[in-house]
Amino acid sequence: MDSDYGIPRELSHLQKLRSLYQPQLPPCLEGTAVRVEFGDTTTSLDPTDAQTIARAFPHTFGKPLAHFFRPTAKVPAPQIITEHPAISIPLQYNCMFVLVILYVTGILLPLRLTGGTQGLFAQKTLEINDDILSTYKNQGGYDLLGRTQDQIRTTEQVQAALTACNDLKLDGLVIIGGVTSNTDAVQLAETFGEAKCPTKVVGVPVTLNGDLKNQFVEANVGFDTICKVNSQLISNVCTDALSAEKYYYFIRLMGRKASHVALECTLQSHPNMVILGEEVAASKLTLFDITKQICDAIQARAEQDKNHGVILLPEGLIETIPEVYALLKEIHSLLRQNVSADTISSQLSPWAYALFEFLPPFIRKQLLLRPESDDSAQLSQIETEKLLAHLVEDEINKRLKAGTYKGKKFNAICHFFGYQARGSLPSKFDCDYAYVLGHVCYHILAAGLNGYMATITNLKNPVNKWRCGAAPITAMMTVKRWSQNTNSLAIGKPAIHPATVDLKGKAYELLRQNATRFLLDDIYRNPGPLQFDGPGADAKVVTLCVEDQDYMGRIKKLQEYLDKVRTIVKPGCSQDVLKAALSVMASVTEVLSVMSSSSSGAQTL
Amino acid sequence: MDSDYGIPRELSHLQKLRSLYQPQLPPCLEGTAVRVEFGDTTTSLDPTDAQTIARAFPHTFGKPLAHFFRPTAKVPAPQIITEHPAISIPLQYNCMFVLVILYVTGILLPLRLTGGTQGLFAQKTLEINDDILSTYKNQGGYDLLGRTQDQIRTTEQVQAALTACNDLKLDGLVIIGGVTSNTDAVQLAETFGEAKCPTKVVGVPVTLNGDLKNQFVEANVGFDTICKVNSQLISNVCTDALSAEKYYYFIRLMGRKASHVALECTLQSHPNMVILGEEVAASKLTLFDITKQICDAIQARAEQDKNHGVILLPEGLIETIPEVYALLKEIHSLLRQNVSADTISSQLSPWAYALFEFLPPFIRKQLLLRPESDDSAQLSQIETEKLLAHLVEDEINKRLKAGTYKGKKFNAICHFFGYQARGSLPSKFDCDYAYVLGHVCYHILAAGLNGYMATITNLKNPVNKWRCGAAPITAMMTVKRWSQNTNSLAIGKPAIHPATVDLKGKAYELLRQNATRFLLDDIYRNPGPLQFDGPGADAKVVTLCVEDQDYMGRIKKLQEYLDKVRTIVKPGCSQDVLKAALSVMASVTEVLSVMSSSSSGAQTL
């Protein structure tokens, strides 16, 4: 047992009360037994990737979806595969079931690995008892679990994990994380499957970035909390801006490559402006384009006698600016060749050198940092907000001299909101979501499934309408046939890729509809601090609520239609019924094959 | 009417609910009429200052304290001076009473000045109606009031304010702010008194710094909110530190010269370490001493296999470090002589030059910024956290080489928590406090008092135990006979000076008792996000609760004793009673005169 846990945690009054909060379960997991039912076998989103993924993952690809139901629910009999007892909380410590434990949830199983992945390799475990359980329930719990390198990827790491799971006789290993962790999870599941290791690997979608989104996964644990905490802070800054009336605040938000956090926070708190990485990438905006766009906005506001404002920038923005990206690519390539940071600038191509020299010294230093394990730049360390504030100041001063800008002196204050939000006590939604996901994990493992992700759909509705299931992680993978990254390892290898903000989606449409009012009218909105009780406690993420989801529910519905057709059109049915069925089915399959070939084309581009 | 207010504010669900929150009134202000009762005339804390202050403020010095009561409360009759009708909320718009209105509170009077002090000079007003009122109640409201230069100090500014108040026929002008604003307020009151301007000036203690504290003022509006929001963020960072186990977070907190915010946040969230400016000043710690102290702490933690931590630094710290202070003094003196920032370093004294050159370039640039209007450095702009992280890194690397430090590589992440906290929706306590203060202001003005500050004491108890009164602002002033600042204007001039953390006080004692556990045991405590409803909503500032206050209550009690003595020992009483009274009173006055002369000595030093 780790000595750290000898010291009792000192909980605040609110923490104590949070630890007593008991989330609900949806009806399907509520009874004394739960029934798992399998759907059709899965494929990948892009059919052309299927073969590559199948070859790389023979033990985990092409498995069916799983749905969890009450044993009494009315469904066609042949699909009932297995039933297992529902678990009660706190868990029976005497059960033989041992697995690694779950972020946020109250479900703690007897043995938990501690110290992150390094802890797993070193087989560091902690026996869970009521005392420990009670102080971490609904508290987040990453501090209990620990984080180290956050990856199980190299052959050595995978082997170490295999050895640990065998030695500890684990029934299951639950991997909690985003796109990279879950890519690691399915690789581990495949290796375990091949090695006939009895430990089953399950993934859980937990990432503040909100970028592990696909047909099966509607939301990530942590996203609601981080967006609420950030929106609170952004709103506070908006109020400050409106009080002082003399500053422009440039706020960079955590969220890695995708701009989900920035989009959601904008919809919650209505700052004057947000620049999404996806917009910049789609329109190929240069550093000068972005600077000009911000300056035009500032000028338009100055004409209305407004000399303050709040501008949000996602941390991934810097990588989406074409010329900066190309520069980063050259720098990373030189770093991989072990060129020392001091001498890199002299080895850059002439145009990259020119850009590098143009940038202010603090940014140069930050661009020279080693890339992360997923090949992206160290986004949390690159102060894009300061770079843009600096460029905007120069341009505004030029316009001031030229007489085109007539507002007051431009003053910028820069912020990076990241670390201070991600350790927050989780929101009610995140507690509920993680709690139910924890139960789903148990049922996945009880059903003996390997390489699955726990899924809950219909999340925008109340908990009693949630649908629980599991999807093979391989069905969420795609294969990149090319890559701007010089690291060729990533090319051609199946992986879960981060979902970016859909510029055709409803959430972005909502932003576009309001962008001008946000910019000019200062309709700042303060969602306030995260509330656990009373009004506001049940508020949900805006982007979740406006989007049209529940893919898992629809897949289930389709299956029911197909079953009904099969029941109605059984051998012995009338000639007319069969003819009608044939005609309609021919037309359906025709339409669908046309649609799916064109959509797969769109996916590949 | 300002055009900005044509656009309806878009309130979130929580904001709407906050606007419906109706704070209680203490019993003394609750009835249909309120009675004001005057106490003894006031003096200054340091008796030797009294003459200087009296000379500078002939119309506002030496006035009596005022206490507010229910008309039915039992008190000796001769002291009842006046009674006036209690106000109801929302206010009667038809009353002739017009004044500027109040931060946070629901009390809005028909006319409000907008656009800060510049707005006052320009006579920009806004008529308050129910619609505007309803969207700002319990929301802070600094954005409604506006801020500009935040000072009314020069002869021109004071004259402009006088003209505005006369032109607008204001009955009262309520100045909301901290030590400098309230020093301005009493100067204004004096000028108005001399000019026989009918507008009465009232001060309200509102500052997030928490440094407007004295015998009469226990707490400042805003301090509770800022400490709660900051403590939430600090706790989140602590959780992050404990999860990642590889970073040291250096967090600088707003709060100007005094370290009240840093102390309170430490007591709420239990980070590993805090360095108070008052400790550094008292022990005359140099930059190297502080660096060494932090490195020793990091080394002690590394020996327990802990390679993470959270360290708080008040923004005022930088000015308390002796050699940095001396450097700043030289720089500011040169800036005042209009030496350009580029050439300052060459004109520094040899030792100041050596220190300047030793500092990293980013700090040099920040130290060269122009001082603020109160002569202090631009504390919010000087990244002390980055400077210390930089020095600590160097020192740890040296110790690593020397083999004295055996921990992991040192990684620092720096934060400045300021702007993102001060615009928050106010806590329940701050709403209550400001609401009652608003009522007290009305009664001060109704009583025709000029140059008073609204005071509420016994604040650590529930609202129904609060005591309401008013104290002449001149009684809070002291005179500095010397100053380290080269700006001689401040010397010898009465002013309210910021109260620093009392190193002999109970709050600091609480910190000292726990410092070792905080440092080594990671007993991080998360007070959670600010709650408006349910558990946690009534939590109060720790430093307020541990301190022994209620000066106003005691002054009142003493007065009662003296009155009783007078009643018992009336001419005609027995010789024995008179003798006993004489003997005891002689001894009391003897003891008190010895004590007050020694305490005034302590104050002057």
PDB file of all heavy atoms in Angstrom, chain B residues 227-240:
ATOM      1  N   CYS B 227     -11.626  35.344  -2.693  1.00  0.00           N
ATOM      2  CA  CYS B 227     -10.912  34.263  -2.017  1.00  0.00           C
ATOM      3  C   CYS B 227     -11.545  32.915  -2.330  1.00  0.00           C
ATOM      4  O   CYS B 227     -10.844  31.924  -2.507  1.00  0.00           O
ATOM      5  CB  CYS B 227     -10.873  34.497  -0.510  1.00  0.00           C
ATOM      6  SG  CYS B 227      -9.790  35.866  -0.082  1.00  0.00           S
ATOM      7  N   LYS B 228     -12.861  32.883  -2.419  1.00  0.00           N
ATOM      8  CA  LYS B 228     -13.517  31.614  -2.744  1.00  0.00           C
ATOM      9  C   LYS B 228     -13.210  31.181  -4.177  1.00  0.00           C
ATOM     10  O   LYS B 228     -12.907  30.019  -4.426  1.00  0.00           O
ATOM     11  CB  LYS B 228     -15.026  31.730  -2.532  1.00  0.00           C
ATOM     12  CG  LYS B 228     -15.400  31.618  -1.055  1.00  0.00           C
ATOM     13  CD  LYS B 228     -16.889  31.739  -0.820  1.00  0.00           C
ATOM     14  CE  LYS B 228     -17.182  31.529   0.676  1.00  0.00           C
ATOM     15  NZ  LYS B 228     -18.469  32.141   1.050  1.00  0.00           N
ATOM     16  N   VAL B 229     -13.286  32.128  -5.107  1.00  0.00           N
ATOM     17  CA  VAL B 229     -13.011  31.758  -6.501  1.00  0.00           C
ATOM     18  C   VAL B 229     -11.546  31.333  -6.642  1.00  0.00           C
ATOM     19  O   VAL B 229     -11.236  30.310  -7.249  1.00  0.00           O
ATOM     20  CB  VAL B 229     -13.352  32.908  -7.475  1.00  0.00           C
ATOM     21  CG1 VAL B 229     -12.975  32.540  -8.898  1.00  0.00           C
ATOM     22  CG2 VAL B 229     -14.833  33.236  -7.406  1.00  0.00           C
ATOM     23  N   ASN B 230     -10.632  32.097  -6.048  1.00  0.00           N
ATOM     24  CA  ASN B 230      -9.215  31.737  -6.132  1.00  0.00           C
ATOM     25  C   ASN B 230      -8.935  30.401  -5.446  1.00  0.00           C
ATOM     26  O   ASN B 230      -8.167  29.587  -5.966  1.00  0.00           O
ATOM     27  CB  ASN B 230      -8.355  32.822  -5.488  1.00  0.00           C
ATOM     28  CG  ASN B 230      -8.046  33.955  -6.448  1.00  0.00           C
ATOM     29  OD1 ASN B 230      -8.028  33.760  -7.662  1.00  0.00           O
ATOM     30  ND2 ASN B 230      -7.806  35.130  -5.912  1.00  0.00           N
ATOM     31  N   SER B 231      -9.543  30.171  -4.292  1.00  0.00           N
ATOM     32  CA  SER B 231      -9.290  28.922  -3.572  1.00  0.00           C
ATOM     33  C   SER B 231      -9.772  27.728  -4.383  1.00  0.00           C
ATOM     34  O   SER B 231      -9.144  26.672  -4.390  1.00  0.00           O
ATOM     35  CB  SER B 231      -9.987  28.942  -2.211  1.00  0.00           C
ATOM     36  OG  SER B 231      -9.448  29.968  -1.415  1.00  0.00           O
ATOM     37  N   GLN B 232     -10.880  27.904  -5.073  1.00  0.00           N
ATOM     38  CA  GLN B 232     -11.363  26.837  -5.951  1.00  0.00           C
ATOM     39  C   GLN B 232     -10.306  26.503  -7.002  1.00  0.00           C
ATOM     40  O   GLN B 232      -9.950  25.336  -7.204  1.00  0.00           O
ATOM     41  CB  GLN B 232     -12.656  27.307  -6.649  1.00  0.00           C
ATOM     42  CG  GLN B 232     -13.108  26.415  -7.794  1.00  0.00           C
ATOM     43  CD  GLN B 232     -14.092  27.106  -8.758  1.00  0.00           C
ATOM     44  OE1 GLN B 232     -14.468  28.259  -8.562  1.00  0.00           O
ATOM     45  NE2 GLN B 232     -14.497  26.394  -9.786  1.00  0.00           N
ATOM     46  N   LEU B 233      -9.767  27.557  -7.633  1.00  0.00           N
ATOM     47  CA  LEU B 233      -8.790  27.342  -8.707  1.00  0.00           C
ATOM     48  C   LEU B 233      -7.496  26.749  -8.151  1.00  0.00           C
ATOM     49  O   LEU B 233      -6.891  25.869  -8.761  1.00  0.00           O
ATOM     50  CB  LEU B 233      -8.508  28.652  -9.436  1.00  0.00           C
ATOM     51  CG  LEU B 233      -9.729  29.301 -10.103  1.00  0.00           C
ATOM     52  CD1 LEU B 233      -9.323  30.576 -10.808  1.00  0.00           C
ATOM     53  CD2 LEU B 233     -10.378  28.338 -11.081  1.00  0.00           C
ATOM     54  N   ILE B 234      -7.074  27.237  -6.980  1.00  0.00           N
ATOM     55  CA  ILE B 234      -5.855  26.707  -6.366  1.00  0.00           C
ATOM     56  C   ILE B 234      -6.047  25.224  -6.048  1.00  0.00           C
ATOM     57  O   ILE B 234      -5.170  24.402  -6.304  1.00  0.00           O
ATOM     58  CB  ILE B 234      -5.509  27.503  -5.087  1.00  0.00           C
ATOM     59  CG1 ILE B 234      -5.126  28.935  -5.450  1.00  0.00           C
ATOM     60  CG2 ILE B 234      -4.382  26.826  -4.303  1.00  0.00           C
ATOM     61  CD1 ILE B 234      -5.197  29.905  -4.278  1.00  0.00           C
ATOM     62  N   SER B 235      -7.214  24.882  -5.526  1.00  0.00           N
ATOM     63  CA  SER B 235      -7.500  23.488  -5.207  1.00  0.00           C
ATOM     64  C   SER B 235      -7.472  22.629  -6.458  1.00  0.00           C
ATOM     65  O   SER B 235      -6.976  21.503  -6.442  1.00  0.00           O
ATOM     66  CB  SER B 235      -8.877  23.364  -4.571  1.00  0.00           C
ATOM     67  OG  SER B 235      -8.954  24.156  -3.434  1.00  0.00           O
ATOM     68  N   ASN B 236      -8.025  23.159  -7.539  1.00  0.00           N
ATOM     69  CA  ASN B 236      -7.998  22.406  -8.789  1.00  0.00           C
ATOM     70  C   ASN B 236      -6.557  22.146  -9.217  1.00  0.00           C
ATOM     71  O   ASN B 236      -6.218  21.049  -9.671  1.00  0.00           O
ATOM     72  CB  ASN B 236      -8.732  23.169  -9.894  1.00  0.00           C
ATOM     73  CG  ASN B 236     -10.220  23.303  -9.620  1.00  0.00           C
ATOM     74  OD1 ASN B 236     -10.745  22.678  -8.698  1.00  0.00           O
ATOM     75  ND2 ASN B 236     -10.905  24.110 -10.392  1.00  0.00           N
ATOM     76  N   VAL B 237      -5.718  23.151  -9.066  1.00  0.00           N
ATOM     77  CA  VAL B 237      -4.313  22.994  -9.427  1.00  0.00           C
ATOM     78  C   VAL B 237      -3.642  21.977  -8.489  1.00  0.00           C
ATOM     79  O   VAL B 237      -2.820  21.169  -8.929  1.00  0.00           O
ATOM     80  CB  VAL B 237      -3.593  24.364  -9.408  1.00  0.00           C
ATOM     81  CG1 VAL B 237      -2.092  24.191  -9.492  1.00  0.00           C
ATOM     82  CG2 VAL B 237      -4.091  25.237 -10.548  1.00  0.00           C
ATOM     83  N   CYS B 238      -3.998  21.997  -7.221  1.00  0.00           N
ATOM     84  CA  CYS B 238      -3.449  21.016  -6.268  1.00  0.00           C
ATOM     85  C   CYS B 238      -3.797  19.593  -6.717  1.00  0.00           C
ATOM     86  O   CYS B 238      -2.956  18.692  -6.687  1.00  0.00           O
ATOM     87  CB  CYS B 238      -4.006  21.242  -4.862  1.00  0.00           C
ATOM     88  SG  CYS B 238      -3.369  22.723  -4.048  1.00  0.00           S
ATOM     89  N   THR B 239      -5.050  19.396  -7.122  1.00  0.00           N
ATOM     90  CA  THR B 239      -5.477  18.080  -7.603  1.00  0.00           C
ATOM     91  C   THR B 239      -4.664  17.689  -8.827  1.00  0.00           C
ATOM     92  O   THR B 239      -4.224  16.550  -8.972  1.00  0.00           O
ATOM     93  CB  THR B 239      -6.977  18.110  -7.958  1.00  0.00           C
ATOM     94  OG1 THR B 239      -7.697  18.536  -6.812  1.00  0.00           O
ATOM     95  CG2 THR B 239      -7.465  16.741  -8.394  1.00  0.00           C
ATOM     96  N   ASP B 240      -4.458  18.654  -9.706  1.00  0.00           N
ATOM     97  CA  ASP B 240      -3.674  18.403 -10.905  1.00  0.00           C
ATOM     98  C   ASP B 240      -2.242  18.019 -10.541  1.00  0.00           C
ATOM     99  O   ASP B 240      -1.674  17.084 -11.107  1.00  0.00           O
ATOM    100  CB  ASP B 240      -3.671  19.661 -11.776  1.00  0.00           C
ATOM    101  CG  ASP B 240      -3.421  19.343 -13.228  1.00  0.00           C
ATOM    102  OD1 ASP B 240      -4.273  18.689 -13.828  1.00  0.00           O
ATOM    103  OD2 ASP B 240      -2.350  19.709 -13.744  1.00  0.00           O
TER     104      ASP B 240
END
